[in-house]
Amino acid sequence: MSPPAIGGNLVEKESTIARILGAGTAGVAELAIFHPVDTIAKRLMSNQSRIASASQLNSVIFRKSASEPAVRRFFTLFPGLGYAAAYKILQRIYKYGGQPFVRDYLTTHHGDSFNRTFGKGNGKAIMAATAGSIIGVGEIVLLPLDVLKIKRQTNPEAFRGRGVMRIVRDEGFGLYRGWGWTAARNAPGSFALFGGSAAAKQYLFKLSDYNSATWFQNFIASIAGSSASLVVSAPLDVVKTRIQNQNFEVKESGMKVIAKMARNEGASSFFKGLVPKLLMTGPKLTFSFWLAQTLIPAFNKMM
């Protein structure tokens, strides 16, 4: 049975349980496979000096364990796993599972407006991208978990032996430091993620019902979306990471971080870590996005 059409747009209505299960499964699988990759990317982005040799790169990635045996060095790439698990799973459920709800709302209440403004085919892809952007901005509610994860990965000394509850009590809303920059990064990044995927399905594969995409079509669409998202959000992602990995008592603003980066490191500093992100974080985002897009319709058929 085809999905209902409103204003010329198919409403791809999946059940809430299917959306939660599909997005949550994607988050768990991504975390299990890619957490060490995320740690490496964050440490490279946080490094404020030029890397001129392999030994220096080794020191940036593995910190004090740079001279340890390979197996021991590998396990140092799992700091903050508890925070990472909570953040990543909740983030994927919120983002991948939440975007369809916003998309459904836009389709039902504003579908005609999007079609008149952008054209019928374009309107559907723009709605998917807009829904992603809206849900991306709201992602800042999970920011404290992201802050704790990044600090554990890049600046563990900031904890000074304090537990999670003690840090929450001591820092309060300070854990939301950088929320504006996070929202500024998420809005275009999520727009590009969902928009790039929708565009691939709309224009490359000529799909009117995005849920009818095969696993291969979802995979190609996920590559398009994740690549666009990483490139678009790269500069603000570096700024956000620099703000979040400071010691808790440091209150350096985003504008000061940008000025210091431009003065001391040059314009290229805003794209630090982009190549590792495209090569390593890119597949991570592609994998989880592909899995969510494939599993949500699959779980919906099983319900």
Side-chain angles (χ1 to χ4, degrees), residues 4 21 53 76 127 132 145 155 158 173 186 203 205 245 253 274 288 297:
L21 285 177
S53 65
T76 65
M127 269 191 289
L145 288 172
N155 187 18
F173 284 101
N186 286 357
Y203 306 116
F205 298 116
N245 71 10
S253 69
L274 178 58
S288 64

Side-chain angles (χ1 to χ4, degrees), residues 196-207 210 216-217 219-222 224:
S197 173
K201 293 177 180 179
Q202 184 83 32
Y203 306 116
L204 181 60
F205 298 116
K206 311 297 183 184
L207 297 175
Y210 294 167
F216 176 75
Q217 290 171 332
F219 180 66
I220 299 300
S222 297

Side-chain angles (χ1 to χ4, degrees), residues 161-216:
R162 294 182 294 173
V164 177
M165 298 310 298
R166 173 70 184 277
I167 290 174
V168 171
R169 186 168 63 250
D170 290 348
E171 304 302 327
F173 284 101
L175 292 173
Y176 281 93
R177 190 179 307 147
W179 68 267
W181 294 98
T182 300
R185 180 205 67 163
N186 286 357
S190 294
F191 185 96
L193 175 66
F194 289 97
S197 173
K201 293 177 180 179
Q202 184 83 32
Y203 306 116
L204 181 60
F205 298 116
K206 311 297 183 184
L207 297 175
S208 58
D209 177 8
Y210 294 167
N211 281 349
S212 67
T214 65
W215 69 268
F216 176 75

Side-chain angles (χ1 to χ4, degrees), residues 235-255:
L236 289 177
D237 195 30
V238 175
V239 174
K240 177 190 82 80
T241 300
R242 294 284 180 94
I243 293 171
Q244 291 179 333
N245 71 10
Q246 300 173 73
N247 285 336
F248 286 108
E249 65 271 13
V250 176
K251 308 295 182 184
E252 195 169 51
S253 69
M255 292 308 298

Side-chain angles (χ1 to χ4, degrees), residues 284-300:
K284 175 184 74 170
L285 183 57
T286 297
F287 172 77
S288 64
F289 194 32
W290 163 73
L291 201 57
Q293 290 188 99
T294 302
L295 289 179
I296 289 174
F299 279 124
N300 189 58

